[in-house]
Amino acid sequence: MARYREQRKQQRRERIYIAAMELLEERGLKATQMRDIAARAELAVGTLYNYYPSKYDLYMDVLEQQWHEVGKRYLSRIARMLHRGDDLFTILRGIIQPVFEEMNQLGRVEWTELIMAFFSSKTYIQRGARMDLQAIEVWSRILEKLKKRGLLRPSLSCDTAAYTLYSVVASQFLALLFLEEVDEGEASKALDEKLLLLIDGIGAAPREEKEF
């Protein structure tokens, strides 16, 4: 009986996640209300509030879940690229660029609304910081794999390099969100250029010149 109740709760959560993301893309955060999410998920409004006290708590939970899934995809991608024998730039770009594009699918306005809402609460800021640290931990594990394959300098601190790499991606994504003069193409090119500079510092061997 307890197992059945848990399965039912999980199914409801999945319906809530799907409904919340669909409405976010369709209407944006400001125009989306808890009653809209409940209706789309085919739940009573009171039932939805049993799971989440506000839409911001709900969307933070959705983002944490998505962040966890992104981390798992990071690790699966690197295994395939190592198997192919790709160079360091190709591997790192092959991990970063799809995630960057996936994050950008939500849209500039929606991301801006979410970020502004999350910075309105200390609790949300703390949860966001934990998500950042989890992502950095995943990057550190990825860099350790690359180091074992001889693609990184033996003396490299993977934790420090992971912080740097994450900072590069995060700063470029924020520039895309908040600077109107930065479009997706420019952001992608700038990300590649910064990635190449980073590789000059962490790579085990001199890289070949890349043209964009």
Side-chain angles (χ1 to χ4, degrees), residues 106-113 176-180 182-183:
L106 184 56
R108 181 176 290 186
V109 173
E110 288 75 22
W111 267 114
T112 301
E113 290 178 350
L176 178 61
L177 288 181
F178 292 108
L179 300 179
E180 293 183 359
V182 177
D183 62 26

Side-chain angles (χ1 to χ4, degrees), residues 93 97-108 172-173 175-177 179-192:
R93 191 181 190 281
Q97 197 65 32
V99 174
F100 195 79
E101 292 170 357
E102 182 177 323
M103 291 173 67
N104 195 41
Q105 285 178 2
L106 184 56
R108 181 176 290 186
Q172 203 57 52
F173 185 65
L176 178 61
L177 288 181
L179 300 179
E180 293 183 359
E181 64 270 23
V182 177
D183 62 26
E184 190 172 350
E186 290 172 342
S188 179
K189 182 177 179 180
L191 187 61
D192 284 346

Side-chain angles (χ1 to χ4, degrees), residues 50-106:
N50 287 336
Y51 286 84
Y52 300 101
S54 74
K55 67 178 180 181
Y56 300 119
D57 287 277
L58 166 54
Y59 279 113
M60 177 61 84
D61 203 42
V62 170
L63 283 179
E64 287 179 337
Q65 179 67 24
Q66 290 192 328
W67 210 236
H68 179 68
E69 293 299 320
V70 165
K72 289 195 294 186
R73 289 198 293 274
Y74 274 161
L75 296 173
S76 63
R77 283 191 189 119
I78 193 171
R80 292 194 299 270
M81 288 184 284
L82 284 172
H83 182 72
R84 291 200 306 259
D86 290 343
D87 62 27
L88 183 56
F89 174 80
T90 301
I91 290 173
L92 293 180
R93 191 181 190 281
I95 298 169
I96 293 172
Q97 197 65 32
V99 174
F100 195 79
E101 292 170 357
E102 182 177 323
M103 291 173 67
N104 195 41
Q105 285 178 2
L106 184 56

